[in-house]
Amino acid sequence: MLGKDFVYSPSKLIVDKRGYLFVSSDGTSLGLMQIRPDGQFAGFFGANQVPFDWTRLIVKLIATKEQRDQLARIRPPEFSNLFQDSEGFIYTTSLGIRQNQIKRLSAVGVDTLNANGKLTRYGDLFMARENSEELRDAFVAITVNKTGFITALDQTTGKLYQYDKLGNLLFIFGGIGDQDGLFKTAAGVAETSDGTIYVTDKTRNRIERFYPTPFAGLVHKASQLYADGKYEEASGPWQQVLELNGNYDLAYLAIGKSLFRQHKYQEAMRYFKMGGDREGYSDALYEYRKVFIREHFGAIATSIIVFFSALLLLRKAIRHRWFAGWRGRLNQPRKGEGISGSL
């Protein structure tokens, strides 16, 4: 199954409740290695896929055999780290890809964080737009707490990105530098049960410790309710978040969804607009138009009937006036003709 040229180079591992090891081996692009408690290899798990590329497909159709052999060497990206939560889901980070760099694998190896073919861009979205070709995220570590909040470490920027269990970005902190809270070469991250986050910096030989602020605690409370589908209960905490930070987009989106579920579509449109959610705004507008038409159907129907009736009357009046003028011109004497008669 491994092939005669396989080189076993284990770098990271976890152990599940059954005693199975899931190992990330450097140079292996076939996925995580499953190893039984007795040490026997059981197969690969949750492999990344090579992104579809139209250019590669077209070249493959017209390329020579040697060129096709060269294309065949393109391999899926490797996993750089992994973490298992209390429910048994395995979270992974990958290098060398621009989307779905973070995954949550189920017991059968299916990515449930980016389900149904969803493509999600994790990391610094602003820098990704400014340096679309040069910047490459390098997520090298990940940790997940008991409520499902994901904290991933990007070694390129030295920043930590925290997401809720739906993949919504909550916070960005850290960075490159010599001051406290910044890193030279951030290498690992872990979170304790009280929400404290520890990050190792292997160049500076130190460990940084981050505590959640009251604002972070409020966001965590609101986002947990939001991720659990309790949109109405989450509205209160989200309103408090906006009182502290009026630029927190996720709060607008969450309140908009709560209002949408309460059929308050016009108010939901306003919050979706402030949060920059075009899809949510379109959905709310669609529902608002249906409600508006249903509530004002009588007035709308009457207005349409009156409009078309007036249009028909106007058309009839114009035609009548035109025919009357036409008949009048026919009855007028032509130039040079007189009225015959005798004195």
Side-chain angles (χ1 to χ4, degrees), residues 256-293:
K257 283 195 175 184
S258 173
L259 293 169
F260 186 90
R261 288 170 62 91
Q262 297 176 57
H263 308 295
K264 298 178 181 180
Y265 302 117
Q266 193 170 13
E267 296 178 53
M269 287 164 54
R270 183 166 64 89
Y271 276 92
F272 283 135
K273 183 177 181 179
M274 289 188 290
D277 186 351
R278 294 187 178 184
E279 184 177 352
Y281 183 90
S282 298
D283 292 340
L285 177 61
Y286 176 76
E287 296 296 335
Y288 174 70
R289 284 186 300 197
K290 288 199 303 185
V291 171
F292 182 86
I293 292 173

Side-chain angles (χ1 to χ4, degrees), residues 178-336:
D178 295 318
Q179 299 140 328
D180 291 343
L182 302 179
F183 316 98
K184 282 293 186 178
T185 309
V189 60
E191 182 173 350
T192 59
S193 58
D194 64 353
T196 304
I197 294 176
Y198 293 84
V199 184
T200 57
D201 187 340
K202 64 181 181 181
T203 298
R204 299 171 68 192
N205 301 323
R206 58 186 287 166
I207 298 173
E208 296 283 348
R209 181 171 55 190
F210 296 88
Y211 293 103
T213 64
F215 177 76
L218 188 59
V219 170
H220 288 160
K221 176 183 176 181
S223 58
Q224 185 176 353
L225 291 170
Y226 173 74
D228 291 339
K230 301 176 182 179
Y231 300 126
E232 295 179 23
E233 295 179 40
S235 291
W238 281 128
Q239 289 287 2
Q240 297 177 48
V241 169
L242 289 177
E243 291 175 5
L244 298 173
N245 182 359
N247 295 319
Y248 202 87
D249 289 343
L250 183 57
Y252 291 109
L253 305 186
I255 295 172
K257 283 195 175 184
S258 173
L259 293 169
F260 186 90
R261 288 170 62 91
Q262 297 176 57
H263 308 295
K264 298 178 181 180
Y265 302 117
Q266 193 170 13
E267 296 178 53
M269 287 164 54
R270 183 166 64 89
Y271 276 92
F272 283 135
K273 183 177 181 179
M274 289 188 290
D277 186 351
R278 294 187 178 184
E279 184 177 352
Y281 183 90
S282 298
D283 292 340
L285 177 61
Y286 176 76
E287 296 296 335
Y288 174 70
R289 284 186 300 197
K290 288 199 303 185
V291 171
F292 182 86
I293 292 173
R294 185 166 55 246
E295 292 179 350
H296 301 85
F297 180 78
I300 293 173
T302 302
S303 300
I304 293 173
I305 293 171
V306 170
F307 173 76
F308 279 103
S309 298
L311 191 63
L312 290 173
L313 290 173
L314 180 62
R315 182 170 175 266
K316 187 175 181 180
I318 292 173
R319 289 184 62 186
H320 177 75
R321 184 174 180 181
W322 185 83
F323 279 117
W326 184 68
R327 285 196 298 269
R329 287 194 296 274
L330 287 179
N331 293 331
Q332 288 180 357
R334 296 179 181 177
K335 186 176 181 180

Side-chain angles (χ1 to χ4, degrees), residues 14-18 20 22 32 34 45 82-92 103-110 112 144-146 148:
I14 58 169
V15 184
D16 68 8
K17 295 178 181 178
R18 304 170 299 166
Y20 273 69
F22 292 82
L32 299 173
Q34 293 187 81
F45 179 85
L82 67 163
F83 182 91
Q84 188 172 42
D85 67 8
S86 58
E87 297 180 356
F89 287 100
I90 298 176
Y91 293 77
T92 64
K103 293 182 173 65
R104 179 176 58 220
L105 303 177
S106 67
V108 293
V110 175
T112 60
V144 183
N145 67 13
K146 60 184 178 181

